C-alpha cells in the first residue's frame, strides 16, 4: 500500500468498486470484502448522505446512485473528446455497419465512453461504461501500445487467463504486436476476448504522441477481418487521425503531423492470411 494512505477513504472507494460490479446488501459486502460490520455500516451511511449510493427498500441491496453518473458525464464533457468522435463514429458505422466504440485506457483495461450499435444482423454487444482487458481487444491494444514503457512492461508480464483459444499469453508475441501497432497506428483483435468476436481500432493521439482514446469497430471475426480488413483499417485510421488533428492546437500541428504518419502499412499486423486460410478451407 502506498503512503500516505487514508484508510477511511480507501474503505469507501472499495465499497463503491464492489457496488459497481453488482448491487449488494450490507451483509454481502461484509462477506465479500472482509470488512467488519460496523465499518461497512458507517461507510454505507456516509455514501448515502453524500448521495453516492441508494438502498432498495424491498431487497435491502445498495447500488450506485445517479450522483456518480453526473460525475462521469462531467468528466466526458470536460475531456473534449466525446463531441469530437460522434461524427466520425457515425461515418464509420454508416460505411461498414459494424458496432463502433470509442474507449479510454485505465490501468490495464479499456472503458467504453461512446458506442454505436451496428446495423448488421450479427453484431457485437458491449455496454457503455463497460470494461475489457486492454491486451485482448483492438481499442485496448491501440491504447496500450502508446502507454509508458513501464506500463507496457507491466501489462505484458501480467498473468492473464486464456479467455479464448486466441488470447495472447506469450510476452514476446504481445511485445512484437504492440511494436507493430505503434508503427501502423492500427490494432486488431482476432477473437482474443470473446470467441468469434473481432475488432480493428486506431489510437487518438495528442501532439506529444500519447493516446487519449481509441476509435474502433467490432463484430463477427469472419466479417471484421475478411479480405476487406485493410480497407476497414485505413478508414478507421484516417478518421482517428482527423479526430486527433481536431484536438491539437494550431501551433503544435506540424509536430503532430510528424507523429501521426498515415503512410505506414498495416501488413505488419498478425492478420494477413486469415481470410486466405478460410478461403482455402472452403475450397474457394
Amino acid at each position: 500500500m502506498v503512503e500516505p494512505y487514508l484508510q477511511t477513504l480507501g474503505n469507501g472507494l472499495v465499497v463503491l468498486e464492489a457496488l459497481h460490479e453488482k448491487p449488494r446488501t450490507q451483509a454481502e459486502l461484509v462477506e465479500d470484502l472482509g470488512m467488519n460490520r460496523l465499518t461497512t455500516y458507517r461507510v454505507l451511511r456516509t455514501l448515502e448522505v453524500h448521495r453516492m449510493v441508494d438502498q432498495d427498500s424491498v431487497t435491502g441491496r445498495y447500488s450506485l446512485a445517479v450522483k456518480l453518473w453526473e460525475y462521469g458525464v462531467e468528466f466526458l464533457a470536460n475531456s473534449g473528446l466525446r463531441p469530437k468522435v460522434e461524427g466520425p463514429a457515425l461515418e464509420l458505422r454508416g460505411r461498414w455497419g459494424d458496432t463502433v466504440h470509442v474507449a479510454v485506457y485505465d490501468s490495464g483495461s479499456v472503458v467504453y465512453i461512446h458506442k454505436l450499435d451496428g446495423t448488421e444482423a450479427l453484431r457485437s454487444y458491449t455496454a457503455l461504461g463497460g470494461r475489457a482487458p486492454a491486451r485482448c481487444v483492438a481499442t485496448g491494444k491501440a491504447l496500450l501500445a502508446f502507454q509508458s514503457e513501464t506500463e507496457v512492461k507491466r501489462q505484458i508480464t501480467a498473468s492473464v487467463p486464456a479467455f479464448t483459444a486466441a488470447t495472447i499469453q506469450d510476452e514476446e508475441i504481445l511485445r512484437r504486436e504492440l511494436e507493430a501497432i505503434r508503427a501502423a497506428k492500427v490494432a486488431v483483435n482476432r477473437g482474443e476476448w470473446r470467441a468469434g468476436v473481432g475488432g480493428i481500432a486506431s489510437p487518438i493521439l495528442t501532439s506529444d504522441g500519447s493516446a487519449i482514446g481509441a476509435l474502433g469497430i467490432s463484430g463477427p471475426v469472419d466479417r471484421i477481418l475478411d479480405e476487406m480488413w485493410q480497407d476497414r483499417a485505413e478508414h478507421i485510421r484516417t478518421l482517428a487521425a482527423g479526430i486527433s488533428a481536431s484536438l491539437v492546437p494550431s501551433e503544435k500541428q506540424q509536430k503532430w503531423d510528424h507523429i501521426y504518419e498515415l503512410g505506414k502499412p498495416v501488413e505488419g499486423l498478425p492478420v494477413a492470411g486469415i481470410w486466405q486460410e478460410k478461403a482455402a478451407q472452403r475450397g474457394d
Side-chain angles (χ1 to χ4, degrees):
M1 185 179 297
V2 296
E3 297 292 344
Y5 184 85
L6 188 58
Q7 187 65 53
T8 303
L9 178 58
N11 288 338
L13 296 175
V14 167
V15 168
L16 290 176
E17 287 286 345
L19 296 179
H20 176 251
E21 295 175 0
K22 64 177 182 180
R24 288 175 163 93
T25 64
Q26 179 182 327
E28 289 170 336
L29 286 167
V30 169
E31 180 178 354
D32 295 345
L33 302 179
M35 200 178 293
N36 72 61
R37 187 180 301 274
L38 181 58
T39 298
T40 305
Y41 170 75
R42 288 174 173 169
V43 167
L44 288 170
R45 285 296 300 132
T46 302
L47 292 173
E48 273 191 299
V49 168
H50 289 277
R51 297 184 294 121
M52 293 187 178
V53 301
D54 292 323
Q55 184 180 27
D56 188 295
S57 59
V58 177
T59 66
R61 286 189 169 86
Y62 290 87
S63 59
L64 300 182
V66 174
K67 186 71 174 178
L68 294 174
W69 176 79
E70 293 176 6
Y71 291 156
V73 170
E74 186 174 354
F75 162 77
L76 290 177
N78 291 338
S79 71
L81 181 58
R82 189 168 180 180
K84 301 288 188 180
V85 303
E86 291 175 345
L90 281 169
E91 178 183 333
L92 192 56
R93 182 180 66 174
R95 179 169 177 182
W96 301 106
D98 295 302
T99 298
V100 179
H101 299 113
V102 179
V104 295
Y105 186 81
D106 183 37
S107 300
S109 298
V110 290
V111 180
Y112 299 112
I113 65 169
H114 184 66
K115 64 166 289 191
L116 294 174
D117 288 326
T119 57
E120 295 284 346
L122 290 176
R123 57 182 182 266
S124 64
Y125 172 79
T126 53
L128 190 63
R131 288 175 174 265
R135 60 187 289 167
C136 297
V137 295
T139 51
K141 287 192 280 188
L143 287 162
L144 180 57
F146 291 87
Q147 299 303 305
S148 68
E149 185 177 338
T150 300
E151 176 65 7
V152 170
K153 183 176 181 180
R154 186 172 75 88
Q155 295 303 324
I156 286 178
T157 57
S159 177
V160 297
F163 298 108
T164 73
T167 301
I168 301 174
Q169 294 182 293
D170 185 281
E171 295 179 15
E172 183 59 23
I173 291 175
L174 182 57
R175 183 189 64 77
R176 290 200 304 267
E177 181 165 343
L178 293 177
E179 289 176 354
I181 292 167
R182 285 186 66 86
K185 309 296 188 296
V186 172
V188 297
N189 165 19
R190 300 180 64 171
E192 298 151 42
W193 169 230
R194 295 288 183 249
V197 178
I200 306 173
S202 189
I204 299 169
L205 302 176
T206 63
S207 58
D208 65 359
S210 61
I212 61 169
L215 172 71
I217 60 173
S218 66
V221 69
D222 288 352
R223 182 174 75 231
I224 294 292
L225 300 179
D226 63 9
E227 65 271 18
M228 298 289 290
W229 81 268
Q230 288 179 310
D231 294 326
R232 290 183 174 88
E234 291 293 351
H235 190 202
I236 294 168
R237 185 166 64 176
T238 299
L239 291 174
I243 297 169
S244 300
S246 71
L247 297 171
V248 176
S250 57
E251 67 270 16
K252 295 184 177 181
Q253 193 68 45
Q254 186 174 1
K255 179 181 178 182
W256 176 87
D257 288 339
H258 174 69
I259 291 171
Y260 212 120
E261 298 175 353
L262 290 180
K264 296 287 186 180
V266 295
E267 287 87 346
L269 296 171
V271 177
I274 292 180
W275 65 271
Q276 293 98 325
E277 293 168 7
K278 294 185 178 299
Q281 293 170 2
R282 295 192 303 265
D284 294 355

